[in-house]
RNA sequence: GGCGCCGUAGCCAAGUGGUAAGGCAGAGGUCUGCAAAACCUCGAUUCGUCGGUUCGAUUCCGACCGGCGCCUCCA
């Protein structure tokens, strides 16, 4: 019996074993960014947890097929294009490119397929046609096509809508006269002048228009898993917690209304990144983008550690203090890695091998249990401390090959090792010359001169460390 | 109003019906010419408050206080 990956399933509100339709294959669909602007790190918190999920599944032997969508036609992209005086695609293309750059900076594994909504128009139109044929959709008096939730009895299961009461008030759409039920949602919106102005309108049998927001995820995921795997049910569908309603609820209605098959077996949702207790968002203006961090020279490993130190279903507050703490943690992991690499190799020692085994076992237990990354991180630091203690002994034990392998597997999985920063070669020569001069001074017990050189180096951002093997240095 | 989440040491944050992981910061110590790194020791008699269930609750139930999210296009 191998260890079993378990995940919280929003559908049942319980942690359940993952049971893919056709193991070892796992189809994973994650809701991606809307490319109307730069994604902020709150968005990336979700993508980072999904990245870990993907990596852990693969590490566990699953063959993951990962699809991520790019929303490049919706209210916001159209509005933003309009304001920029551009065609829709001209406006979104640079943000798609930026998203990929940010993804790479944060060391997020690329999905196998990125589906941009505008490239799946035929599939979306076909899906709407099918829903019309099946009688679960209708054309409203305003020319748009709506989904009739009354025709879909299980509507609301994911968000437990049956227990809700829709708030009556200002938010209820003013176009409700066009719909049979105020809660029916648009599958296809009749093109208006603004849509036409930016080129966001397509011809369809049921009228010229553009897709409603939810439509793309259904059409694209069904198309892709059909093509790759011949199925109409996703194993895992993931996204931010705010997508549960209405987005994912509507996706279920559209997809199941068309296929008659369960849309996704396992729904996984990540909590928000907050700033002083409030959700990070463009609307609140309290956001930070990945490129902001990159420009500040923040190592992506620190961002990853920061996020992985909190469980994905808990809200986290983003603060500079927390980021600094994570930077320090990453530094320590890097130092330890170097130490392990430099220690003599052996195959037989016991203590370190035992620690290495425990590390991997603890990490597996933690991640199998609803992707408990904080516990995996704790296991990693436990290992670092225990191993350092061993290596501090007068006669360090062997078996570092085993320890190194385990450490590298775990840090590789979480991707937490600091990025090696390449310094300018001339600068390196200068630093090494200064260190040599200091060594001379120390040799002749001229500690004043030695300390002066150290101060000189520190002023240039170089931190030094005297070890039995000589003086080490690094950029602060 | 409906549905849901959170409140654990200075800060961040795991966790379990049986007596509180880990990270950062701080204090002392070992080591060091001094530093740095690393290691050791120290910190919540206590997990928002008040009740209840229980032999026993931070963990279950209820109420309350405080913060937050979603409720038709927000990761």
């Amino acid at each position: 019996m191998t260890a079993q990956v378990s995940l919280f399933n929003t559908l049942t509100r319980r942690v359940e074993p993952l049971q893919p339709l056709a193991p070892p294959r796992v189809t994973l669909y994650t809701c991606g960014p809307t490319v109307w602007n730069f994604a902020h790190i709150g968005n990336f918190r979700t993508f980072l947890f999904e990245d870990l999920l993907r990596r852990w599944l693969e590490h566990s032997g699953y063959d993951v097929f990962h699809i991520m969508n790019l929303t490049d036609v919706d209210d916001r992209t159209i509005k933003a294009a309009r304001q920029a005086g551009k065609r829709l695609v001209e406006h979104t293309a640079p943000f798609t490119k930026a998203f990929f750059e940010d993804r790479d900076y944060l060391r997020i594994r690329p999905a196998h397929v990125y589906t941009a909504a505008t490239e799946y128009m035929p599939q979306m139109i076909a899906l709407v046609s099918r829903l019309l044929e099946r009688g679960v959709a209708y054309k409203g008096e305003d020319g748009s096509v709506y989904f009739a939730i009354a025709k879909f009895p299980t509507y609301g299961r994911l968000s437990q809508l049956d227990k809700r009461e829709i708030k009556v008030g200002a938010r209820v759409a003013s176009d409700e006269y066009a719909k049979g039920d105020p809660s029916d949602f648009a599958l296809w919106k009749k093109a208006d002048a603004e849509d036409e102005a930016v080129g966001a309108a397509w011809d369809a049998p049921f009228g010229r228009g553009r897709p409603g927001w939810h439509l793309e995820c259904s059409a694209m995921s069904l198309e892709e898993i059909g093509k790759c795997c011949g199925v109409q049910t996703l194993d895992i569908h993931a996204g931010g917690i705010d997508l549960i309603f209405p987005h994912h609820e509507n996706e279920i209605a559209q997809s199941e209304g068309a296929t008659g098959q369960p849309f996704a077996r396992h729904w996984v949702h990540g909590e928000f990144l907050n700033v002083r207790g409030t959700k990070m968002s463009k609307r609140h203006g309290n956001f930070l983008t990945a490129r902001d961090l990159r420009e500040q020279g923040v190592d992506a490993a620190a961002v990853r550690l920061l996020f992985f130190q909190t469980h994905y279903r808990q809200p986290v507050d983003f603060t500079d203090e927390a980021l600094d703490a994570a930077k320090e943690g990453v530094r320590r992991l890097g130092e330890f890695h170097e130490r392990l690499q430099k220690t003599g190799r052996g195959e037989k020692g016991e203590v370190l091998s035992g620690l290495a085994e425990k590390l991997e076992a603890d990490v597996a237990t933690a991640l199998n249990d609803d992707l408990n990354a904080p516990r995996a991180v704790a296991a990693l630091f436990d290992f670092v401390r225990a191993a350092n203690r061993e290596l501090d002994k007068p006669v360090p034990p062997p078996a570092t090959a085993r320890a190194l392998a385990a450490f590298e597997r775990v840090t590789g999985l979480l991707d937490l090792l600091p990025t090696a920063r390449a310094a300018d070669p001339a600068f390196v020569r200068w630093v090494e010359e200064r260190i040599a001069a200091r060594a001379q001074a120390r040799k002749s017990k001229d500690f004043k001169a030695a300390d002066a050189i150290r101060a000189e180096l520190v002023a240039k951002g170089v931190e030094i460390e005297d070890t039995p093997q000589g003086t080490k240095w690094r950029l602060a």
Side-chain angles (χ1 to χ4, degrees):
Chain A
M1 170 77 199
T2 47
Q4 169 72 56
V5 177
S6 295
L7 284 172
F8 185 85
N9 188 351
T10 308
L11 220 40
T12 57
R13 314 268 158 161
R14 273 200 294 268
V15 175
E16 295 178 340
L18 177 71
Q19 293 182 307
L21 215 48
R25 187 192 64 213
V26 170
T27 50
L28 170 67
Y29 185 90
T30 57
C31 279
T34 300
V35 287
W36 67 293
N37 204 325
F38 297 112
H40 57 68
I41 57 172
N43 302 125
F44 277 107
R45 181 188 179 197
T46 299
F47 304 145
L48 236 14
F49 116 71
E50 293 163 345
D51 180 53
L52 181 60
L53 173 60
R54 148 101 178 263
R55 288 172 185 242
W56 181 241
L57 291 173
E58 288 178 344
H59 188 95
S60 302
Y62 287 110
D63 179 10
V64 180
F65 180 60
H66 179 194
I67 307 159
M68 179 177 262
N69 70 300
L70 303 165
T71 300
D72 62 351
V73 49
D74 80 320
D75 288 1
R76 287 184 300 170
T77 45
I78 290 169
K79 191 174 166 204
R82 188 65 201 267
Q83 283 170 352
K86 289 181 177 166
R87 305 280 292 176
L88 186 68
V89 267
E90 286 170 1
H91 179 73
T92 58
F95 290 113
T96 298
K97 183 166 172 278
F99 170 69
F100 289 145
E101 288 166 4
D102 293 346
R103 173 201 66 191
D104 293 342
Y105 158 64
L106 290 169
R107 310 183 191 173
I108 293 171
R109 291 263 167 82
H112 298 100
V113 184
Y114 286 95
T115 56
T118 52
E119 288 165 16
Y120 287 75
M121 250 349 119
Q123 288 84 351
M124 287 197 264
I125 289 168
L127 185 61
V128 174
S129 295
R130 192 151 169 210
L131 291 167
L132 282 166
E133 280 161 25
R134 293 188 131 217
V136 292
Y138 61 91
K139 195 158 176 180
E141 284 169 31
D142 59 354
S144 294
V145 179
Y146 295 93
F147 185 93
I149 63 168
K151 299 282 177 61
F152 190 73
T154 58
Y155 187 81
R157 187 170 156 225
L158 183 70
S159 54
Q160 307 195 340
L161 195 68
D162 44 319
K163 291 201 283 180
R164 295 174 182 237
E165 288 174 17
I166 299 284
K167 184 179 182 179
V168 181
R171 296 293 298 269
V172 171
S174 56
D175 62 347
E176 66 185 279
Y177 60 85
K179 302 191 280 185
D181 182 314
S183 296
D184 289 350
F185 58 91
L187 294 166
W188 189 260
K189 299 175 124 176
K190 184 189 163 90
D192 64 19
E194 187 171 57
D195 298 338
E196 296 287 1
V198 300
W202 290 263
D203 285 317
F206 34 82
R208 187 169 169 79
R210 50 137 172 141
W213 174 39
H214 320 295
L215 189 65
E216 58 173 275
C217 289
S218 294
M220 300 190 298
S221 58
L222 290 175
E223 166 77 8
E224 290 303 323
I225 58 175
K227 246 175 19 195
C228 91
C229 317
V231 294
Q232 293 188 293
T233 299
L234 287 161
D235 289 315
I236 305 176
H237 192 132
I241 193 169
D242 50 346
L243 298 182
I244 295 173
F245 188 84
H247 189 53
H248 289 163
E249 198 67 76
N250 292 349
E251 284 183 34
I252 291 172
Q254 291 164 349
S255 307
E256 300 188 2
T259 68
Q261 305 284 317
F263 181 45
R265 296 163 74 82
H266 220 112
W267 287 87
V268 189
H269 294 96
E271 255 290 353
F272 290 134
L273 181 66
N274 293 152
V275 179
R276 273 186 297 257
T278 299
K279 172 183 181 180
M280 176 179 285
S281 70
K282 289 266 161 52
R283 191 158 54 92
H284 291 129
N286 59 354
F287 64 93
L288 203 61
T289 64
R291 42 232 305 133
D292 290 334
L293 293 177
R294 194 174 56 183
E295 278 160 25
Q296 288 168 26
V298 176
D299 194 321
V303 181
R304 296 181 68 96
L305 179 61
L306 175 63
F307 288 173
F308 292 159
Q309 275 182 307
T310 304
H311 188 87
Y312 76 91
R313 286 195 291 117
Q314 291 294 327
V316 223
D317 236 57
F318 183 85
T319 63
D320 288 337
E321 293 74 21
L323 182 60
D324 285 344
K327 286 178 190 166
E328 191 57 26
V330 163
R331 198 222 86 238
R332 195 165 152 217
L333 293 175
E335 295 269 315
F336 175 74
H337 185 219
E338 225 174 282
R339 182 175 195 189
L340 217 44
Q341 284 176 316
K342 285 181 181 161
T343 324
R345 299 298 152 83
E347 296 298 336
K348 289 226 159 154
E350 274 153 32
V351 181
L352 282 173
S353 283
L355 290 173
E357 230 154 85
K358 179 168 161 42
L359 169 64
E360 293 197 279
D362 287 350
V363 167
T365 302
L367 295 180
N368 278 331
D369 183 12
D370 196 23
L371 209 67
N372 195 323
R375 241 160 62 201
V377 169
L380 185 60
F381 280 101
D382 278 339
F383 172 76
V384 170
R385 189 176 359 85
N388 263 324
R389 188 161 50 213
E390 289 304 310
L391 296 172
D392 273 352
K393 288 181 174 169
V395 184
T400 54
R402 174 78 180 84
L404 182 64
F407 181 76
E408 287 184 341
R409 267 197 293 275
V410 173
T411 49
L413 175 72
L414 300 169
D415 222 331
L416 294 179
L417 255 20
T419 308
R421 274 186 293 172
D424 171 55
F427 181 70
V428 172
R429 275 199 301 280
W430 175 79
V431 170
E432 279 164 4
E433 180 278 314
R434 291 280 74 195
I435 286 176
R438 176 168 168 275
Q440 270 305 318
R442 291 179 73 212
K443 212 169 177 182
S444 48
K445 306 277 183 205
D446 184 358
F447 296 119
K448 262 213 167 80
D451 290 348
I453 293 170
R454 178 165 58 200
E456 195 184 340
L457 286 163
V458 167
K460 294 277 187 184
V462 176
E463 285 179 353
I464 62 173
E465 193 182 317
D466 296 321
T467 76
Q469 289 79 39
T471 299
K472 280 169 56 181
W473 66 278
R474 65 165 181 273
L475 293 168

